[in-house]
Amino acid sequence: MVNYEKELNTEQLQVVMANDGPILVIAGAGSGKTRTITYRVARLIETNVAPECILLATFTNKAAREMLGRVEMLIGVDISRLLGGTFHHIANRILRRKSHLLGYENNYSIMDSEDSRQLINACISELGFKDKFEKFPKGNVVGDIISFSVNTEDSIDEVLARRHPYFYGLINEIAEVASRYRIRKKELNMMDFDDLLLNLRRLLVSNPPVLKEYSERFSHVLVDEYQDTNVIQAEILDLLASHHRNLMVVGDDSQSIYSFRGANFANIIRFPERYPDAKVFKLETNYRSTPEILNLANMSIVNNEKQFQKELRAVRAGGIRPILVPAMHVIQQANFVTQRILELIAEGIPLNEIAVLYRAHYHSMELQMELTRRGIPFEIRSGIRFFEQAHIKDVTSFMRIMVNPFDELAWKRLLMLYRNVGRVSANRIWKFVSAETDPLSVVASDNFLKCAAKTAAPGLRKFRETIENINYLSNKKSPLEIIEIVLESGYRQYLEGKYTDIESREEDLNQLGNFSEKFNSIEDFLGELALLTNIAAEEDRIYYTDRRDEDRVILSTIHQAKGLEWLSVFMIWCSDGMIPLARALKDPDGEEEERRLFYVAATRAKDQLYFCYPMLNYARGMGNTALSPSRFIEELNPSSFGATERPYDQWIVNDDSNSWG
């Protein structure tokens, strides 16, 4: 028998030994929730609950495997019959036996995202919308609209109004595509990931014998990360636990940050309303961070009205207080972070125990450049390197042909952005323009529109309009002007139709434009980007040959960092409008979710925590504008922050505000 009193703290022990019935466990950051769930499962089995009568729902199959592996080690019992895994895994296991009751064959295929995109594109073509509408959204965008509608149970109308207002005029056509997509999947005996959840709920609701079978079988249902569940997942759990009512949900309302994926904060916050007899436990003992870091984290979240009150308490001894670092501008911010990272490395902190967190991917642009300059290896968890992103390369390709009209790769990349211009057409067009002494001038000729198939002519006309706008409207041919002209000449609509994260990509381009003002010419700007990209590529080649894969500083959005921890954490761009992100405040609950993001970032740090923000920022048409610290910093008691051990200007070395221009 496991000695639970010896293995667990008092809070964890109360959860593990709790009697049957609905249970809500509010598990603070670093409080050992995985350990608590593991020991709860072990205890259930030791008290003669058969493994096949336990259901464990997690958000990754890896988490389920780790928990169940620990259970087997603890009690030495075969638990292979216990059903554990992600919601989709559980749904698939049940539907493989019962999907015929919904009109599917039990050997249905599961579609991945690429399968889904291709089938939606086929539906768009079959309905004739691809030819009828010049700017009809691509399959991945329509798929995102459909998926969000399914997971939130909002109508297509509501999703378009909130997330894709520029396509609201196509509401009937998009709804028709969604309907045809559902029909085609059924005809092909296929389900996408959303269907697995949707069909499991439908199966349980519409077939009382099936609900009876599974709700009676699962005498105990446990779920991890409950704050991240959506409406359908919560209802599935309620249904499966409806007979015995032994539903234990574990999560942290203060770490509910995924509403953009369809997670429903109300699931955890209203659990006691749905289960008035639920026992509520709190895990508030933190094993990760110093008392100073936890003091700041506790203080940061108190202003949220919708929450379960809790206070994280540290097991560890005291350390240094978090440090607030105001920088004159974003380049000085990057200089500070890289210099301090070098000092931490010199102090013996491993690279992979240092993380830089930010609210949006574009916030890392200047830092990526400075890390590259100083030869500090880094891994980006929030996407690919900033300057290697498709939309950045698209826009800079316009600049490249302005500087070098014989840049074949840039020409072909740009041409293929336009409707009905594929690789073959791009090759023919390039052959035509490159035969001239001035390729850009030939774009204005009638022959340019005739050098490829007739179907390509409308796209070439739009390309010509963009080039003419750059030539006529850009006085200095500055990168900033070219970015603005490209966006206004149709590229913004291209982004809307092709990508699901249009706002983030446009923010990237705006920030690129602001940054480009540091340079005296397009040539200087492009030269710097090319140099840094090549340096990064060479360092990557050397790195993967000579170093361990984990030996890098981590750059990550806060969303990607949830659940992780590092010895030293830097949070950059802690300015109002950046955290909280201005566009997130449009949502009525946006500020509280942004505050939870701030809290998540703070609780990733074990020993050292730095908050950095620039005091000035270049804004298009306004020059340098003053920035305020994040409202979440302003809410904190100044005593939460420690003083640097030396004057701020001594943190910054080799600071030259014009070094990039």
Side-chain angles (χ1 to χ4, degrees):
M1 294 285 289
V2 177
N3 187 340
Y4 295 98
E5 288 80 3
K6 180 181 178 181
E7 297 291 329
L8 303 168
N9 67 31
T10 302
E11 295 167 344
Q12 296 166 345
L13 183 64
Q14 288 179 334
V15 174
V16 170
M17 305 304 289
N19 294 327
D20 290 353
I23 296 172
L24 170 62
V25 182
I26 303 300
S31 62
K33 69 177 178 61
T34 299
R35 185 179 187 84
T36 304
I37 297 171
T38 299
Y39 277 79
R40 173 75 177 179
V41 172
R43 179 185 168 272
L44 289 174
I45 295 173
E46 281 196 338
T47 54
N48 297 319
V49 176
E52 61 267 29
C53 295
I54 299 173
L55 176 69
L56 174 62
T58 62
F59 272 82
T60 67
N61 286 317
K62 179 183 177 183
R65 287 194 300 270
E66 289 178 352
M67 288 186 202
L68 297 180
R70 291 185 197 178
V71 171
E72 283 196 330
M73 290 179 62
L74 280 173
I75 60 177
V77 173
D78 177 19
I79 59 170
S80 58
R81 293 170 297 165
L82 189 155
L83 182 52
T86 65
F87 285 89
H88 297 92
H89 171 76
I90 292 166
N92 184 46
R93 288 282 299 273
I94 295 174
L95 289 170
R96 285 297 178 193
R97 297 182 60 237
K98 304 289 185 178
S99 62
H100 62 277
L101 297 174
L102 300 176
Y104 290 86
E105 299 295 329
N106 288 344
N107 65 342
Y108 60 83
S109 299
I110 300 176
M111 307 167 67
D112 60 22
S113 57
E114 179 60 18
D115 295 330
S116 177
R117 183 189 67 81
Q118 290 181 356
L119 184 56
I120 291 173
N121 276 332
C123 293
I124 293 170
S125 295
E126 290 167 7
L127 292 167
F129 297 153
K130 183 178 179 180
D131 297 325
K132 184 177 179 181
F133 300 98
E134 182 180 352
K135 298 297 182 183
F136 201 83
K138 301 289 186 183
N140 61 311
V141 177
V142 176
D144 180 72
I145 294 168
I146 295 171
S147 179
F148 195 81
S149 173
V150 168
N151 285 294
T152 60
E153 299 197 320
D154 290 339
S155 66
I156 296 288
D157 188 331
E158 292 170 317
V159 174
L160 286 174
R162 284 176 52 199
R163 292 165 63 93
H164 305 270
Y166 35 85
F167 289 132
Y168 197 81
L170 296 172
I171 180 173
N172 293 330
E173 288 78 10
I174 291 173
E176 193 172 348
V177 172
S179 176
R180 189 173 188 87
Y181 176 58
R182 286 193 295 271
I183 293 169
R184 294 287 286 125
K185 284 185 293 182
K186 191 74 173 291
E187 290 174 348
L188 296 168
N189 195 39
M190 301 177 80
M191 296 187 200
D192 61 23
F193 264 41
D194 295 331
D195 290 327
L196 292 173
L197 300 182
L198 206 59
N199 284 330
L200 175 57
R201 182 181 65 176
R202 184 173 150 223
L203 176 72
L204 296 173
V205 170
S206 63
N207 290 271
V210 175
L211 175 61
K212 183 174 186 293
E213 175 186 348
Y214 284 100
S215 65
E216 289 183 355
R217 169 186 164 180
F218 296 125
S219 60
H220 288 269
V221 177
L222 302 91
V223 59
D224 189 18
E225 303 286 10
Y226 187 68
Q227 78 280 348
D228 295 335
T229 55
N230 62 31
V231 174
I232 300 173
Q233 290 164 333
E235 189 171 344
I236 287 171
L237 292 169
D238 290 342
L239 288 165
L240 291 173
S242 58
H243 183 79
H244 296 281
R245 297 187 76 255
N246 296 325
L247 173 61
M248 185 177 100
V249 301
V250 182
D252 184 1
D253 57 297
S254 296
Q255 297 187 68
S256 178
I257 59 174
Y258 293 121
S259 64
F260 71 97
R261 294 181 185 170
N264 190 343
F265 179 68
N267 289 345
I268 189 167
I269 209 72
R270 294 179 182 168
F271 188 84
E273 295 176 20
R274 301 206 319 276
Y275 292 90
D277 58 332
K279 294 180 281 291
V280 180
F281 298 94
K282 296 179 182 179
L283 304 182
E284 299 173 291
T285 304
N286 177 283
Y287 293 89
R288 175 186 299 155
S289 306
T290 62
E292 291 78 7
I293 290 172
L294 295 184
N295 174 62
L296 182 145
N298 287 330
M299 195 180 301
S300 73
I301 201 66
V302 295
N303 288 293
N304 272 8
E305 294 182 6
K306 300 175 183 177
Q307 64 167 307
F308 293 102
Q309 296 292 335
K310 62 179 175 299
E311 184 171 349
L312 296 179
R313 299 182 301 273
V315 170
R316 298 181 54 197
I320 63 172
R321 282 179 290 174
I323 294 175
L324 181 62
V325 184
M328 185 60 67
H329 42 62
V330 70
I331 295 176
Q332 198 176 68
Q333 176 182 250
N335 281 340
F336 164 75
V337 173
T338 50
Q339 175 61 23
R340 185 61 187 137
I341 286 173
L342 289 172
E343 293 174 355
L344 291 172
I345 294 169
E347 293 168 12
I349 304 297
L351 284 169
N352 63 315
E353 281 290 353
I354 302 171
V356 183
L357 307 182
Y358 35 84
R359 175 61 179 86
H361 184 44
Y362 72 88
H363 290 168
S364 68
M365 179 179 65
E366 293 85 0
L367 181 62
Q368 289 184 40
M369 296 187 75
E370 189 62 18
L371 289 169
T372 301
R373 284 177 174 280
R374 301 207 191 190
I376 301 173
F378 61 93
E379 175 186 341
I380 303 172
R381 297 276 176 86
S382 53
I384 62 176
R385 292 180 187 268
F386 185 86
F387 297 107
E388 295 172 3
Q389 297 177 103
H391 54 296
I392 301 297
K393 295 180 75 172
D394 289 345
V395 171
T396 54
S397 289
F398 279 103
M399 302 178 201
R400 286 169 56 183
I401 66 171
M402 290 294 152
V403 171
N404 174 18
F406 289 92
D407 188 331
E408 178 180 354
L409 296 180
W411 270 93
K412 289 180 177 178
R413 181 181 190 92
L414 293 177
L415 289 167
M416 287 191 291
L417 295 177
Y418 292 87
R419 190 180 185 191
N420 293 330
V421 180
R423 195 171 302 278
V424 172
S425 292
N427 286 333
R428 289 176 61 185
I429 298 165
W430 166 247
K431 186 175 180 180
F432 170 74
V433 300
S434 63
E436 303 295 327
T437 55
D438 184 0
L440 283 173
S441 65
V442 78
V443 171
S445 70
D446 290 338
N447 287 334
F448 176 72
L449 302 180
K450 301 174 183 177
C451 68
K454 286 184 178 180
T455 54
L460 295 184
R461 191 172 288 109
K462 291 293 294 182
F463 173 74
R464 179 164 69 183
E465 288 175 8
T466 303
I467 297 299
E468 288 175 344
N469 287 339
I470 292 173
N471 283 327
Y472 296 151
L473 300 178
S474 179
N475 297 320
K476 299 182 299 179
K477 297 288 192 300
S478 73
L480 177 58
E481 287 179 326
I482 290 176
I483 291 169
E484 292 175 333
I485 291 167
V486 169
L487 281 169
E488 294 302 321
S489 298
Y491 190 70
R492 180 177 287 108
Q493 288 72 32
Y494 170 82
L495 291 175
E496 290 169 350
K498 185 175 177 62
Y499 299 111
T500 59
D501 55 348
I502 166 64
E503 289 181 321
S504 295
R505 290 178 188 263
E506 191 166 347
E507 285 172 348
D508 287 348
L509 293 172
N510 289 335
Q511 189 68 13
L512 180 70
N514 292 341
F515 173 71
S516 71
E517 290 295 281
K518 305 288 182 185
F519 297 86
N520 296 321
S521 67
I522 298 179
E523 290 87 344
D524 289 346
F525 177 61
L526 293 177
E528 186 72 17
L529 299 194
L531 179 63
L532 288 167
T533 301
N534 287 331
I535 289 173
E538 179 64 13
E539 286 184 346
D540 281 347
R541 184 189 67 77
I542 295 171
Y543 170 81
Y544 282 114
T545 303
D546 299 338
R547 301 190 186 185
R548 295 179 303 154
D549 186 46
E550 66 271 17
D551 192 22
R552 289 188 165 192
V553 173
I554 303 301
L555 272 57
S556 174
T557 60
I558 304 169
H559 285 102
Q560 294 287 344
K562 183 175 172 292
L564 304 176
E565 58 185 37
W566 296 274
L567 290 175
S568 300
V569 171
F570 297 83
M571 189 172 170
I572 59 174
W573 274 106
C574 293
S575 306
D576 219 48
M578 302 299 177
I579 174 76
L581 205 58
R583 60 179 162 85
L585 298 179
K586 298 175 185 177
D587 188 288
D589 297 318
E591 181 172 317
E592 293 216 347
E593 181 155 334
E594 292 288 297
R595 190 177 284 107
R596 294 195 292 269
L597 271 167
F598 187 85
Y599 173 86
V600 167
T603 53
R604 299 310 94 199
K606 298 179 185 178
D607 296 345
Q608 298 186 41
L609 179 59
Y610 301 85
F611 294 96
C612 310
Y613 72 94
M615 294 183 288
L616 294 175
N617 186 39
Y618 184 85
R620 291 180 296 167
M622 299 177 64
N624 283 320
T625 58
L627 295 176
S628 301
S630 168
R631 65 190 68 182
F632 305 144
I633 287 175
E634 299 277 31
E635 291 170 352
L636 299 171
N637 190 317
S639 65
S640 302
F641 299 103
T644 61
E645 64 263 33
R646 56 189 185 273
Y648 174 72
D649 59 1
Q650 292 182 23
W651 287 91
I652 307 296
V653 298
N654 299 325
D655 178 36
D656 180 357
S657 60
N658 294 315
S659 62
W660 292 351

